[in-house]
Amino acid sequence: MIPSAPNSLLKTLFDAQHTASRAQTDVPLATRRSRLLRMKALIDDHGATLAQAVQKDFGVRSPQLTEIADLFVLRTLLSHTLKSLPKWMKPQKVSTPLYLQPASAYLQRQPLGVVGVVSPWNYPVQLALGPVITALAAGNRVMLKPSELTPATSALMADLIGKAFAPDELCVVLGGGELAAQFTSLPFDHLFFTGSTAVGRIVAKAAAANLTPTTLELGGKSPCIIDASCDLHAAATKIAHGKLLNAGQTCIAPDYVLLPTGREAAFGHAFAQAVAKLFPTIAGNPDYAAIISPRHHARLQTMLASAEQGGARLQIINTGGVATEGSRQMPPVLVFDAPPGCTLLQEEIFGPILPVLTYDSLDAAIEYINARPRPLALYWFGTDNAAQGKVLAQTVSGGVTINDTLMHIAHENLPFGGIGDSGWGSYHGEAGFLRLTMQKPVLVQSRWARGDLFYPPYGKRFDQVMGLLKRWL
Ligand code: NAD
């Protein structure tokens, strides 16, 4: 447990950031670079300690997983941002229509002010510091509220940030849901929330009371379509990797598979082989992450039990190994014939359970997806270009990877975010910079301008000019 920051402290920190942001609206490149370089040093110097803290919070989670999925992602974000920042900060000239010429116009890119960031536990370093880095690059002041479910990691980030940043530049407040509710009621210039769809709805309401714009990076059920044309073994390996990274506790993990009818046994076999290669044992395997908390572990077990009671067939994979006491490592489970109403098919799973649904025609698979909230990610495996094109054209999701899982999140030039129930607004690369930047439109009038042609009193001259313009349009 970590102690919650008192409400008065929240207000004091916010007021200090707000005052500082209004006192310096023009944040030069050198200041932004200094903040990003301090963040880089924090990650370079303390990456290993952060990975240990994550391991402690999970019980079992390999430092290598934190290196690739948290720290490496931040390193690439920092490197790309530091290189691109001079270009991104420049005013963007826009062309001026004939009727306003010879005026000129541009977009001035300015910081929004104070950005609040609320982050989840599953990739606790990446999902806290990624939005923070983006907000700092855009010249903002930032307050971060990381997850209470990773107390060691959150406390370490608070300590390291407290040593590297002035509180009116960047600060961390610690606490659970109650503190988070107070935090999200602050009148931020932007609120960046990553977490569940249920809490996202609460955050959107709290922000609306202040007319605070939000970015909501939420969850949902991301489908994985296996086309008849695909190499099942190659697909099963990639699906197993994407599903079991962090034991399924990944927002864009494949939530369920849609498989051509009749391929169930072949897929079950290929998936089991893939898992055996990646994780020869589960219990006691340091590469296989534990479920974050007893509550989440119990939630997953209940989901499984109720699906089984409803007639589902479970294929539990790799139960071998010696369990570490209280580790909550849960073996992967394929679920066939799950009853349509069961929670496994209704709610985001966020664990190593993979329901396998079958389809008789591609139209039926697309219809199933489109009858549900729009997913955060969608995966398609196959070689049939027409089928691929049809899926891309007829479904809408936050992002897509073809013939792999997860990888679109790693591409800095692809905006990352959801749509509908899976969230709104996206970040990464320039898209993230712009999300947290005000693009102020500026028109510079020319002394040769003839706007007076449109002034009253309206008469013959006005009619002639409008006539010319109408013909020109
Ligand atoms: P969560 O919604 O329970 O908590 C996220 C954060 O919200 C925490 O910091 C928590 O303290 C805070 N919070 C709790 N109650 C609050 C309230 N009333 N008002 C404001 N904030 C509140 O989510 P979680 O369990 O930490 O994370 C898992 C969820 O996050 C999954 O649904 C997953 O899909 C989603 N997620 C999404 C992304 C993405 O990029 N789209 C990434 C990771 C996780």
Side-chain angles (χ1 to χ4, degrees):
M1 282 295 289
I2 39 179
S4 259
N7 205 5
S8 57
L9 175 63
L10 274 188
K11 177 93 177 61
T12 306
L13 288 168
F14 176 81
D15 286 347
Q17 292 212 351
H18 191 265
T19 304
S21 74
R22 270 47 182 180
Q24 191 192 25
T25 49
D26 184 16
V27 182
L29 178 63
T31 308
R32 300 186 196 202
R33 274 182 62 82
S34 148
R35 291 174 182 160
L36 295 179
L37 290 171
R38 274 179 276 157
M39 196 52 92
K40 183 175 180 319
L42 187 154
I43 291 161
D44 286 345
D45 298 347
H46 303 284
T49 327
L50 282 163
Q52 276 166 16
V54 176
Q55 190 170 20
K56 184 169 175 222
D57 286 329
F58 273 75
V60 185
R61 189 168 122 151
S62 73
Q64 290 90 337
L65 173 54
T66 300
E67 176 56 53
I68 181 84
D70 284 85
L71 304 175
F72 180 75
V73 174
L74 294 174
R75 292 183 214 280
T76 57
L77 171 66
L78 276 164
S79 153
H80 183 68
T81 305
L82 280 162
K83 269 190 218 124
S84 313
L85 199 51
K87 190 170 128 219
W88 291 348
M89 284 176 64
K90 282 207 178 99
Q92 307 290 306
K93 199 168 164 16
V94 296
S95 63
T96 298
L98 186 66
Y99 55 88
L100 285 173
Q101 285 182 18
S104 60
Y106 62 93
L107 296 169
Q108 183 183 10
R109 295 181 162 184
Q110 289 185 304
L112 295 176
V114 186
V115 173
V117 174
V118 178
S119 58
W121 51 265
N122 57 330
Y123 294 97
V125 187
Q126 186 223 133
L127 296 170
L129 301 189
V132 165
I133 289 167
T134 306
L136 290 176
N140 299 294
R141 314 270 161 169
V142 191
M143 289 176 72
L144 165 67
K145 206 303 279 174
S147 175
E148 67 280 18
L149 286 191
T150 48
T153 312
S154 296
L156 180 58
M157 286 193 295
D159 182 47
L160 295 172
I161 285 173
K163 287 176 179 147
F165 291 87
D168 67 359
E169 284 182 300
L170 167 62
C171 64
V172 182
V173 290
L174 301 174
E178 205 179 314
L179 183 274
Q182 289 159 4
F183 184 90
T184 49
S185 300
L186 291 169
F188 289 112
D189 295 297
H190 193 100
L191 191 50
F192 195 109
F193 172 81
T194 306
S196 60
T197 300
V199 177
R201 285 183 208 282
I202 300 172
V203 169
K205 267 194 196 160
N210 294 313
L211 292 182
T212 292
T214 54
T215 297
L216 300 179
E217 302 287 346
L218 310 179
K221 296 183 80 61
S222 298
C224 183
I225 307 175
I226 295 184
D227 191 69
S229 65
C230 102
D231 170 346
L232 210 51
H233 279 271
T237 302
K238 294 189 162 158
I239 296 168
H241 175 254
K243 179 70 184 179
L244 301 179
L245 190 84
N246 206 22
Q249 301 167 110
T250 302
C251 57
I252 50 169
D255 186 89
Y256 63 95
V257 163
L258 284 160
L259 185 73
T261 304
R263 307 286 297 273
E264 297 91 310
F267 180 73
H269 182 66
F271 191 81
Q273 275 192 335
V275 175
K277 225 168 155 187
L278 296 168
F279 306 104
T281 57
I282 297 297
N285 182 343
D287 289 346
Y288 190 85
I291 302 303
I292 186 72
S293 69
R295 185 173 67 82
H296 279 284
H297 191 258
R299 177 183 64 81
L300 291 166
Q301 299 300 336
T302 306
M303 269 182 163
L304 264 187
S306 76
E308 198 173 21
Q309 272 163 20
R313 182 170 62 79
L314 311 189
Q315 182 182 343
I316 303 173
I317 299 161
N318 278 0
T319 49
V322 181
T324 322
E325 193 168 338
S327 79
R328 299 183 300 278
Q329 283 175 307
M330 179 177 170
V333 190
L334 291 179
V335 181
F336 298 92
D337 302 321
C342 69
T343 48
L344 212 50
L345 297 187
Q346 301 300 321
E347 292 174 12
E348 179 182 17
I349 296 173
F350 223 59
I353 307 171
L354 187 62
V356 180
L357 312 182
T358 54
Y359 65 88
D360 295 327
S361 69
L362 187 53
D363 284 329
I366 291 172
E367 203 179 305
Y368 183 89
I369 293 166
N370 288 342
R372 285 160 178 75
R374 286 175 163 169
L376 183 57
L378 181 143
Y379 303 108
W380 183 86
F381 285 86
T383 54
D384 178 343
N385 288 341
Q388 178 188 313
K390 184 172 167 132
V391 168
L392 286 174
Q394 295 185 10
T395 61
V396 182
S397 57
V400 173
T401 294
I402 298 289
N403 285 322
D404 207 340
T405 55
L406 316 182
M407 290 305 141
H408 60 283
I409 197 176
H411 197 307
E412 274 301 315
N413 293 325
L414 290 178
F416 178 78
I419 174 163
D421 282 26
S422 57
W424 59 56
S426 46
Y427 71 131
H428 291 192
E430 192 174 12
F433 175 84
L434 291 180
R435 185 80 190 156
L436 301 179
T437 291
M438 172 61 194
Q439 293 213 75
K440 187 169 72 182
V442 180
L443 184 137
V444 183
Q445 188 57 285
S446 160
R447 66 191 172 109
W448 307 112
R450 288 304 314 271
D452 59 319
L453 293 174
F454 302 96
Y455 292 177
Y458 303 120
K460 207 166 162 208
R461 189 198 58 205
F462 178 87
D463 293 342
Q464 280 170 344
V465 176
M466 284 313 281
L468 273 174
L469 276 180
K470 279 193 242 169
R471 254 178 286 151
W472 170 73
L473 289 172

